Amino acid sequence: METSLSIHPDRFGAKEEAKYLTPGRVLRAEATSNGALMVCERGLLHVQFYDAFIVRITFDRLGKPAGSFSHSVILKPAFTEIQVEQNEQEVLLHSEHITVRISLNPARVDILDRSTGAVRLAEPENGIQFTARGEVACRKLSSPEERYYGFGEKAGFLNKRGERLVMWNTDVYAPHNQETDSLYVSIPYYLSVRGAEAHGILFDNTYKTAFDMREPSEMRFEAEGGALNYYYMAGPDTKSVIRQLGKLTGHAPLPPKWSLGYHQSRYSYETEQEVLDIANTFQEKGIPLDTIYLDIHYMDGYRVFTVDQERFPDIGKLVHELKERGIRIVTIVDPGVKADAEYEIYKEGMSLDLFCKDIEGRVYHGPVWPGRSAFPDFTSGRVRKWWGEKQQSLTDVGVAGIWNDMNEPSVFNESKTMDLDVLHDNDGHPGTHRELHNVYGLQMARASYEGLRNSLDGKRPFVLTRAGYAGIQRYAAVWTGDNRSFWEHLQMLIPMCLNLGLSGVPFCGADVGGFAHDTGADLLVRWTQAAAFTPYFRNHSEIKCGRQEPWMFGEETEKLVTEAIRLRYRWLPQLYLLMEEAARDGIPVMRPMFLEFPDDPEAYRIADQFLFGSNVVVAPMLRPDTTRRALYLPAGEWVDYWTQEWISGGRYILAHAPMDRIPLYVKADSALLEENVRMSTSAPSEQLTVHLYISNAASSVAYRIYEDDGESLDREGSGYFEAEGTAILDKGGRLTVEENVLSSGWTPVWSKRQLMIHTREEITSASWNGQEKQVVKSIHGNAIQYQISLF
Ligand code: MIG
C-alpha cells in the first residue's frame, strides 16, 4: 500500500524537460501514386491515401520512408484518385472526400473537408516532434467539446477527455479503477466526436505509447520509439469511422455459436470429478450451460500442453462425455514454458530455437506459474506454426477452444514482464521487447487461432485472450481480466466493453460476478442480468474467494440467476444476428447511445446504459439494494420489454426493476428475434419468434433473420439462411408480412416459427407471403399481443 510518502515534496523537484526537435521546413515535395513524400530538414514526411477516407501519415526522422509492415493493419492502399496542388506555402492533396494540407515552412499537416474546406483536424505549430533519444509525438488542436472514445481496454468512464492514457500491456491484479492506466490490451486508437462529426486516429506504433487529453485545447499522442505512424479515418460520422477502422484492422469472424452461450469457470475446477459435479449440477437444476473452463490446475505442474494424470486421469473421456451432454471444454494455455530438461515442449523449443533470446543468444527465462520458464517468440511465423500445431494435443482429446492468459506477457518480477532488451524475430523485422511488447499477446492469440483453424476440421476456432493489440479481434475474444466483485466493477464493464467495441473488438465481456473478492447474492444477480447482454458471458472467480456458481447463494438467488441465463438463451438469435453484422460490417453488438442517436446531445453523456444492436436499450441495475434507476430514452416511442407498455422518449424515465428484471426497452417499429430456451446451443432450436413492435397503423417494421449451423468455418461453403421481412399494418387492422429469402444455403432446423405482434392497434387479419394466417389475440396485464403461427 502506498502512503502519503508517495507525495513527499522532495520527490517533486524540477523535472528535466525532454528537448523536442521538429521536422523543420519541407525542402522538396514529390507526388507519389497515392499521396506525396516530403523531404524535410530533419526527416521524411509521407502522406499515403488508402482510400478516399483513410490516409496514412508517417514521419521518420531517419529520412527513410516508414515501412508498411504492421501487426494490426491488414488493408493495402487501393488506387485512390488524388489531385495535387502546390504553391509557395503549401501542398494540397485532395481525395474525393478530404484534403490533406501540408504547410511547407515549417512542415505541418492539417486535414480539411474536401467540399466545404472546413478544417477537420489541425496541428498547432510544431505538431510533429521527436527527440534525439528516439521518442516521437504528434499534437493536434482540440476543443473542450471534443469527446474521445476508443483506446481499447481502459478502466474508467466512457469519454476519456481530461485523461492521459498509456498503452503498455500489463497484468494488473490490483483493483482496476479510473487511475489504472495500462491494462492487458493496447489499442492505440481513438474516436473523436464533436457534435455529429467524427474522425478516428490509429497510431500504429507498437512501442509504449500515450494519449494525452488533459489540455482542453490539445490532443497529443506520443511513443517511446519508432516512427510517427498514424492513420486518419475521416468518418464523417461515428459509424463510418468504425467501418474504416474495420477495413484497416479487420473484423471479428463469426464465432462458434456455443461460444455465445453461458460459460462457467473457476480458478480452478481442479479434478475430473469436480468438473463433472459442476456439469451435473447445472443439468439437474435446469440451468443452461455451454462451456466449462479448465484453469491452470489441469496441467502437469503447469507445463503447457500436458495434463495432470492424477487430477484428470482420462481427460478425453471426460471431454467426450460432456460434449455428448452439450457442454464443451475450454482449456487455459499460458505462454511460459517450464524450463525442464525432461519436458518435451521445452526440449523442442530449445532444440528448434523457438524461444526469445537476448542479443548474446541466451534464452530469456523468467518466473511464472511453472517456475523458471522460457517464452516462445510468437512474432515469428515459424514459432506460431509450431505452437499452433501443439493445440492438436488438446483438440485431439476434444477440447473446443483455447484460453490464452498471461500473454502480456506477464512475468513474476519487478518489471512484470520480459526484459526490454530481449529480441524478437518479428517476421524478418527484428526488434527488441521494448518495441514489440504490446504485440506479444496478439501474436500468441494468432498462433492459437491459426492452429485451431487447422486442427478443428473446418470448425470455427474459439480463442479467448487477455492481452492484445489493435487487430486482436481477428483472432480472439477479449475478457477484461482480473476485475473484482465490486458494484463499481459491474458499472465499469459498460464503458469498458463499449470502448472495446468502438475500438474494433465486439466480442468482449467481463468476469461475471467479479474475479477477485467475494461476490454476494444481489451482485451476482445484477451482474448476470447485465452480462446476458455482453457478447462474451462467463462467470469466473479466483482461487481464494468464495465460489459463485449460480446456486451458491440459496434458492431465490439461484432462480434469479437462472432466469438471467435463460434470458440470454432466449435472445440468442438476436445476438447471433448482431455478431454476424459485426463480422461483416464491424459495428459492435454493444453500442453507446450516441452511435445510434448521433444528433441527440444527451446520448453522448451516457455510460451506464447501452444499446444492444440498434434498437434495444439495456439499462442494468448497478447498485446494491436498488430497484429503481433513471435511464434515458432517445426521442421516439419505446416499449418496455417486460410490461409491453408504450413510453415516449426524448427524456429520462425512472424504471422499476425488482430483482427479477433488468430494464429493457425496444424501439417502436423495430423487431427482435427470440427462440426457445435450450439447455445448451447443442440442443436443436425448435421455435423462432420474430417480435414486431408496431406503433401505428400505416407504420412498417423490417426484420432480418440470420442462421447457419453455428460451427462451420466456411459459411459460404456450408451455406447459411438469411431472410428479410417487412410487416405493414393498415388502418383496417390487416397485417401484411412479406418475407424474402436472401440465402437458403442452409435449412434452419426450427420446427415452428411465429410472429408476435406488440401494438396498441387492433389486428383483425394477417397474411404472410400471401398466405392467410390466423391471428390469436392475448392479453398480458395492460398489454395486448397478437400471435401468428407461420408453421
Ligand atoms: O492470476 O490462471 O486473469 O482469469 O484464473 C493469475 C489463473 C493467472 C489470471 C487470469 C485469471 C486466471 C488466473 N490467471
Side-chain angles (χ1 to χ4, degrees), residues 171 173 184 266-267 295-296 332 334 369 403 405-406 412 466 479 481-482 511 515 538 540-542:
D171 171 0
Y173 177 76
Y184 317 88
R266 169 83 177 173
Y267 165 29
D295 205 325
I296 53 176
I332 199 167
D334 290 353
W369 296 122
W403 168 20
D405 185 22
M406 303 288 280
F412 300 150
R466 195 169 72 174
W479 99 103
D482 295 347
D511 283 344
F515 175 69
R538 179 183 71 159
H540 180 49
S541 58
E542 72 169 4

Side-chain angles (χ1 to χ4, degrees), residues 551-628:
W551 52 84
M552 287 311 296
F553 298 91
E555 252 171 58
E556 181 56 22
T557 301
E558 179 187 321
K559 209 176 96 212
L560 295 167
V561 172
T562 304
E563 267 320 303
I565 298 171
R566 288 171 57 85
L567 185 64
R568 163 70 162 223
Y569 279 81
R570 195 167 322 129
W571 284 51
L572 255 187
Q574 183 73 9
L575 173 60
Y576 202 52
L577 185 78
L578 293 169
M579 289 300 283
E580 195 276 335
E581 186 183 337
R584 194 167 25 81
D585 197 34
I587 303 296
V589 174
M590 279 177 81
R591 304 180 190 174
M593 299 300 294
F594 66 79
L595 202 59
E596 295 295 334
F597 300 93
D599 300 320
D600 181 345
E602 212 52 45
Y604 292 85
R605 304 181 194 281
I606 296 169
D608 61 354
Q609 64 181 68
F610 59 93
L611 286 155
F612 188 69
S614 64
N615 66 327
V616 179
V617 167
V618 181
M621 299 304 290
L622 304 170
R623 286 160 181 275
D625 205 9
T626 303
T627 56
R628 291 184 199 266

